[in-house]
Amino acid sequence: MTIFALVDCNNFYASCEKLFDPKLEGVPLVVLSNNDGCVVARSAEVKALGIPMGVPWFKIRDQAKQFGIQAMSSNYTLYADMSNRVVEVLEGFSPNVEVYSIDESFLLLDGFAATQSLEAYGRKIKDRVQHWLGLAVCVGIAETKTLAKLANHCAKKGHAGSAGVCDFTTIAPSELTRVLSKIEVGETWGVGRRLAPRLEKMGIHTVHDLRNANAAQIRAQFSVVLERTVMELKGIACLELEETTPDKKQIVSSRSFGQRIGAFEHLADALAFHATRAAEKLRSQDSVAGALTIFIRTNPFALKEPQYQRSITIPLPQATQDTRELVKWAGRGLRRIYRRGFAYAKAGVMLSEIRPAALAQADLFGSMEDSARSDTLMGMMDRINQRWGRGTLRTASEQAEGIWKMNRGNLSPRYTTSWSELPTVS
């Protein structure tokens, strides 16, 4: 029998911040999005205060003062490294691990039930991550991925007598029915707020209701995806473990600016930065792109300011993964859509027509030597930047996040990846 476990880090971003700063212990803490805009993570103390996810920071400043809420800027370098460490621990418990998101992973536990209690095994996982990394996780165990997500939900909420670990495979059918009858249908993986109202109009209000729904009828009125969800709720596994991340069909790099910019050279600098990031992602999956899209826009919410937004898609003469080529074409595209007299708030690059590098058509007028030199140069560039830090080697067009860089007024140190920012004890 196939058995899945979902391991989910609790309040991951906030927990990473608290892990290295003892002064934050017990303090209500939020982590903010790019440019310190909106709340993207909340500690347990903030959740208890009823602060919603996604609320703009400026709207809760008064509450922050009243309750002593501390706000941190997003430290993606720290979060990514801690996520990788969690995955390394999980790989010691199963040879089959799917990294679903930065704070969630599925494990395949086939065969483990024959030798030990899966709930006890889940507690070993929970205790190991806590002891080795200092991060709290919850573990949900079930026969399908969708049920494992719900078991994890129960583990977090303390349903079914769980305390951080919930095993649906050992729960009596009557007890599982009682538990699922108390969970709103919108909590189901793949349903959410968008589909929940339509399901409720059909009389499907809880997960138990959806589980008992007619799968063929659900498919006819919604999609085959939701039909699979119903089958998964019935205990029929339709979703396999994805141990390798599928190649992206589109790669986007964009960001709102820390301040408005109007000069062409500053926009060109920003687009060179994004073209470089997109090229790195492209090479990481050993692909090439056949088209490049750039866009620039003003702030649509600043209604009293002149508004302008444009994009342009450029079919590349030769599919490439070379940073220099992508930066060059991004600059040429900007010359065609740039207009003076506007305060630009955001720019970005999207790569499309992506295919494996091994299947790319060779340039009829190029040479194998030029292609080999490009691959060697880009490979060397990536290795140096991975070892010594992003931007150590870059094109002359990229000025390492100049005037347009993000506002991150309360950024914590990169405790685990920078020698100069290691935590110290005094």
Side-chain angles (χ1 to χ4, degrees):
M1 180 174 65
T2 301
I3 299 177
F4 298 92
L6 177 67
V7 182
D8 185 6
C9 299
N10 299 344
N11 314 317
F12 182 58
Y13 287 5
S15 296
C16 288
E17 296 289 352
K18 290 193 172 195
L19 182 61
F20 294 96
D21 189 347
K23 293 181 293 185
L24 296 176
E25 181 65 31
V27 174
L29 176 72
V30 296
V31 177
L32 303 178
S33 62
N34 292 346
N35 293 308
D36 293 343
C38 300
V39 173
V40 295
R42 303 164 294 165
S43 68
E45 299 86 356
V46 171
K47 291 180 180 179
L49 293 172
I51 304 296
M53 182 73 84
V55 64
W57 171 239
F58 75 88
K59 288 188 175 182
I60 61 169
R61 287 188 185 276
D62 291 340
Q63 287 177 282
K65 290 180 181 178
Q66 179 182 356
F67 297 109
I69 299 174
Q70 176 73 42
M72 303 296 294
S73 304
S74 294
N75 188 339
Y76 300 119
T77 302
L78 174 64
Y79 310 149
D81 184 66
M82 293 305 298
S83 174
N84 291 336
R85 293 172 188 241
V86 172
V87 173
E88 286 183 12
V89 174
L90 299 182
E91 287 174 342
F93 286 93
S94 173
N96 307 106
V97 177
E98 173 191 337
V99 181
Y100 177 66
S101 67
I102 194 169
D103 60 348
E104 294 178 281
S105 292
F106 285 103
L107 281 67
L108 201 59
L109 299 184
D110 291 7
F112 287 84
T115 60
Q116 59 191 300
S117 161
L118 290 179
E119 182 178 349
Y121 198 62
R123 297 201 179 282
K124 287 182 182 179
I125 295 173
K126 184 177 185 298
D127 293 343
R128 178 74 59 83
V129 176
Q130 175 74 54
H131 182 64
W132 284 15
L133 301 178
L135 295 173
V137 302
C138 286
V139 182
I141 302 170
E143 296 92 342
T144 71
K145 292 171 78 172
T146 303
L147 284 172
K149 288 276 284 187
L150 287 167
N152 189 279
H153 172 80
C154 291
K156 284 187 175 181
K157 301 296 182 181
H159 296 167
S162 62
V165 178
C166 181
D167 181 8
F168 275 1
T169 66
T170 59
I171 293 180
S174 59
E175 175 64 11
L176 183 59
T177 296
R178 186 187 69 82
V179 170
L180 297 183
S181 296
K182 291 185 175 182
I183 304 176
E184 295 180 357
V185 68
E187 295 290 344
T188 309
W189 187 31
V191 175
R193 296 178 182 176
R194 185 175 61 87
L195 295 180
R198 292 178 58 189
L199 289 168
E200 289 170 357
K201 288 181 180 179
M202 297 171 58
I204 300 174
H205 299 279
T206 68
V207 175
H208 175 65
D209 294 336
L210 183 60
R211 188 187 191 199
N212 287 342
N214 183 291
Q217 183 181 4
I218 291 295
R219 176 173 182 169
Q221 297 196 32
F222 293 89
S223 66
V224 67
V225 175
L226 195 57
E227 179 194 28
R228 290 189 190 127
T229 298
V230 174
M231 300 305 292
E232 288 249 320
L233 291 175
K234 295 177 185 293
I236 302 171
C238 301
L239 303 174
E240 298 180 352
L241 203 72
E242 297 181 3
E243 296 180 67
T244 58
T245 304
D247 291 344
K248 295 180 179 179
K249 302 302 181 184
Q250 290 183 332
I251 293 176
V252 179
S253 178
S254 68
R255 185 179 296 167
S256 296
F257 303 144
Q259 58 180 299
R260 314 286 176 78
I261 62 176
F264 176 89
E265 58 269 24
H266 293 151
L267 279 175
D269 178 19
L271 287 171
F273 173 86
H274 290 306
T276 300
R277 300 289 83 78
E280 291 171 349
K281 295 176 184 178
L282 191 66
R283 291 193 294 272
S284 70
Q285 65 180 44
D286 195 23
S287 299
V288 294
L292 175 146
T293 300
I294 66 166
F295 73 87
I296 54 176
R297 69 166 174 80
T298 54
N299 184 354
F301 302 105
L303 300 180
K304 295 183 180 181
E305 297 180 5
Q307 296 294 310
Y308 178 78
Q309 61 177 6
R310 282 288 302 276
S311 66
I312 184 171
T313 298
I314 304 170
L316 301 175
Q318 179 67 30
T320 185
Q321 59 177 214
D322 192 309
T323 296
R324 299 168 300 171
E325 285 294 307
L326 296 173
V327 168
K328 178 184 73 176
W329 286 107
R332 291 184 179 180
L334 179 61
R335 291 189 185 93
R336 295 185 59 182
I337 65 175
Y338 172 74
R339 296 293 182 272
R340 295 184 183 275
F342 294 96
Y344 293 98
K346 188 173 184 179
V349 169
M350 181 180 76
L351 304 181
S352 56
E353 295 186 21
I354 294 174
R355 69 205 73 167
L359 301 181
Q361 185 174 355
D363 185 358
L364 179 63
F365 302 103
S367 67
M368 296 296 292
E369 291 79 5
D370 289 341
S371 178
R373 278 195 287 266
S374 172
D375 292 343
T376 301
L377 177 60
M378 292 299 106
M380 180 63 69
M381 196 171 170
D382 290 340
R383 288 191 293 273
I384 290 175
N385 287 334
Q386 288 167 5
R387 179 171 182 179
W388 299 106
R390 175 176 286 174
T392 300
L393 279 184
R394 57 182 185 270
T395 64
S397 303
E398 181 192 345
Q399 297 301 315
E401 295 193 73
I403 190 174
W404 51 272
K405 66 181 180 180
M406 280 196 302
N407 287 327
R408 292 197 283 182
N410 200 11
L411 182 64
S412 58
R414 297 167 295 174
Y415 296 107
T416 61
T417 56
S418 173
W419 287 108
S420 62
E421 298 175 36
L422 287 174
T424 58
V425 179
S426 58

